[in-house]
């Protein structure tokens, strides 16, 4: 599958079932989004959780009403039930299914939330000459649970999940400068250096995604990650929820440049 497909073409490939892989490096120049879909009774609490925790949960959009399957301001001809490569279904806080289409479980009371994704700023890092190891090695970005507590809201609570990209220390400093321009897709890293300082016991064993090579002289650089809501949803034990599968994002029609704050 060509990484140069337009966002619309990539969504169509997802809809047809032709593409179900991770989206890092695909449709360069366009915003990618994490997703959470919850029954209406949880929507207010989840919205508050996002507002309280903007680093891991920068809200890009929310469905206008329950049951809506499109979001015209972010993507044309969107069907949120089919246009991501892969979905996760949670029941009573437990992951029960991972599928490529959720039409058969769709309900009219479901509210969709789209949250910024770190894949969106990878383009700017690459343009500045920084290597993105998960793209080089053609794997999903490694993601880890941490001991960084999120601010609870209603039933939602839990620790922050982070994504990791190894870099030389000087490149890590440059990444901080670049990513600070993009707060709607997690902004600057939350930590770099010793993984144990944020509760990661074994950097070679990510909780989500795939391990990548950390070369001599490099340090792991950690960004807040949009998988954080999946931990909060599991902790809340909500009766039903649909999310993206980690690394398998909704690719929108919104240009990354539109999110730059300077």
């Amino acid at each position: 599958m060509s990484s140069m497909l337009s966002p619309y073409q990539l969504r169509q490939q997802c809809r047809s079932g032709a593409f179900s892989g991770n989206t890092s490096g695909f449709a360069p120049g366009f915003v990618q989004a994490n997703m959470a879909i919850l029954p209406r009774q949880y929507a207010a609490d989840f919205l508050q959780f996002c507002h309280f925790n903007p680093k891991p949960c920068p809200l890009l959009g929310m469905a206008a009403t329950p049951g809506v399957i499109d979001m015209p301001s972010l993507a044309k001809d969107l069907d949120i039930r089919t246009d991501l490569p892969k979905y996760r279904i949670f029941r009573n806080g437990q992951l029960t299914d991972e599928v490529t289409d959720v039409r058969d479980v769709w309900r009219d009371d479901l509210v969709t939330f789209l949250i910024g994704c770190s894949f969106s700023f990878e383009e700017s890092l690459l343009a500045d000459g920084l290597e993105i190891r998960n793209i080089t090695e053609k794997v999903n970005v490694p993601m880890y649970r941490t001991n960084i507590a999120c601010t609870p809201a209603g039933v939602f609570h839990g620790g922050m999940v982070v994504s990791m990209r190894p870099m030389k220390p000087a490149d890590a400093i440059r990444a901080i400068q670049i990513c600070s321009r993009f707060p709607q897709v997690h902004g600057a890293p939350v930590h770099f250096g010793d993984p144990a300082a944020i509760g990661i016991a074994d950097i070679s064993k990510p909780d989500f995604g795939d391990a990548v090579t950390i070369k001599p002289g490099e340090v792991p650089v950690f960004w807040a990650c949009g998988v954080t809501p999946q931990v909060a949803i599991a902790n809340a034990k909500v009766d039903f929820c649909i999310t993206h599968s980690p690394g398998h994002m909704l690719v929108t029609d919104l240009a990354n440049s539109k999110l730059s704050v300077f």
Side-chain angles (χ1 to χ4, degrees), residues 93-145:
Q94 298 296 313
L95 174 62
T96 59
D97 298 287
E98 197 162 34
V99 297
T100 58
D101 185 320
V102 295
R103 284 177 293 185
D104 61 339
V105 296
W106 188 257
R107 297 168 13 186
D108 289 339
D109 67 330
L110 296 176
V111 180
T112 299
F113 295 85
L114 296 179
I115 293 167
C117 170
S118 62
F119 289 173
S120 296
F121 62 61
E122 289 179 340
E123 174 198 19
S124 294
L125 297 178
L126 291 167
D128 204 65
L130 303 184
E131 182 193 2
I132 306 298
R133 189 64 43 76
N134 54 284
I135 294 179
T136 302
E137 297 186 349
K138 296 181 170 59
V139 296
N140 201 353
V141 67
M143 294 161 272
Y144 305 84
R145 299 174 186 266

Side-chain angles (χ1 to χ4, degrees), residues 131 133-134 137 139 142 164-167 210-216 218:
E131 182 193 2
R133 189 64 43 76
N134 54 284
E137 297 186 349
V139 296
M164 187 279 290
R165 295 158 183 84
M167 295 179 177
D210 303 306
V212 297
T213 304
I214 302 177
K215 298 178 181 179
E218 293 181 334

Side-chain angles (χ1 to χ4, degrees), residues 55-57 118 160-163 185-186 188-190 222-226 228:
K55 284 291 282 186
C57 307
S118 62
M160 185 185 296
V161 174
V162 294
S163 61
V185 288
H186 304 304
V190 295
F222 300 94
W223 279 262
C225 177
T228 301

Side-chain angles (χ1 to χ4, degrees), residues 15-218:
R15 188 178 298 187
S16 71
F19 180 73
S20 60
N22 86 79
T23 54
S24 177
F26 279 81
F30 293 91
V31 172
Q32 299 199 27
N34 301 279
M35 184 196 70
I37 302 176
L38 293 152
R40 175 171 25 201
Q41 67 262 35
Y42 302 111
D45 282 356
F46 188 76
L47 179 62
Q48 190 175 47
F49 184 80
C50 292
H51 286 320
F52 284 173
N53 300 282
K55 284 291 282 186
C57 307
L59 194 63
L60 292 175
M62 176 182 174
T65 57
V68 169
I69 62 171
D70 64 351
M71 208 168 287
S73 63
L74 292 177
K76 70 176 182 180
D77 186 32
L78 174 65
D79 187 333
I80 202 67
R81 305 169 301 175
T82 60
D83 292 1
L84 279 71
K86 196 176 293 183
Y87 301 80
R88 284 184 160 188
I89 299 172
F90 293 81
R91 293 180 174 88
N92 300 313
Q94 298 296 313
L95 174 62
T96 59
D97 298 287
E98 197 162 34
V99 297
T100 58
D101 185 320
V102 295
R103 284 177 293 185
D104 61 339
V105 296
W106 188 257
R107 297 168 13 186
D108 289 339
D109 67 330
L110 296 176
V111 180
T112 299
F113 295 85
L114 296 179
I115 293 167
C117 170
S118 62
F119 289 173
S120 296
F121 62 61
E122 289 179 340
E123 174 198 19
S124 294
L125 297 178
L126 291 167
D128 204 65
L130 303 184
E131 182 193 2
I132 306 298
R133 189 64 43 76
N134 54 284
I135 294 179
T136 302
E137 297 186 349
K138 296 181 170 59
V139 296
N140 201 353
V141 67
M143 294 161 272
Y144 305 84
R145 299 174 186 266
T146 75
N147 60 12
I148 303 171
C150 292
T151 302
V155 299
F156 297 104
H157 62 282
M160 185 185 296
V161 174
V162 294
S163 61
M164 187 279 290
R165 295 158 183 84
M167 295 179 177
K168 296 176 181 178
D171 289 342
I173 298 300
R174 182 60 181 147
I176 292 170
Q177 295 171 327
I178 292 169
C179 293
S180 294
R181 298 168 51 208
F182 299 99
Q184 283 188 275
V185 288
H186 304 304
V190 295
H191 179 67
F192 71 89
D194 183 10
I198 55 172
I200 299 171
D202 189 344
I203 196 69
S204 70
K205 296 179 179 178
D207 295 294
F208 311 94
D210 303 306
V212 297
T213 304
I214 302 177
K215 298 178 181 179
E218 293 181 334

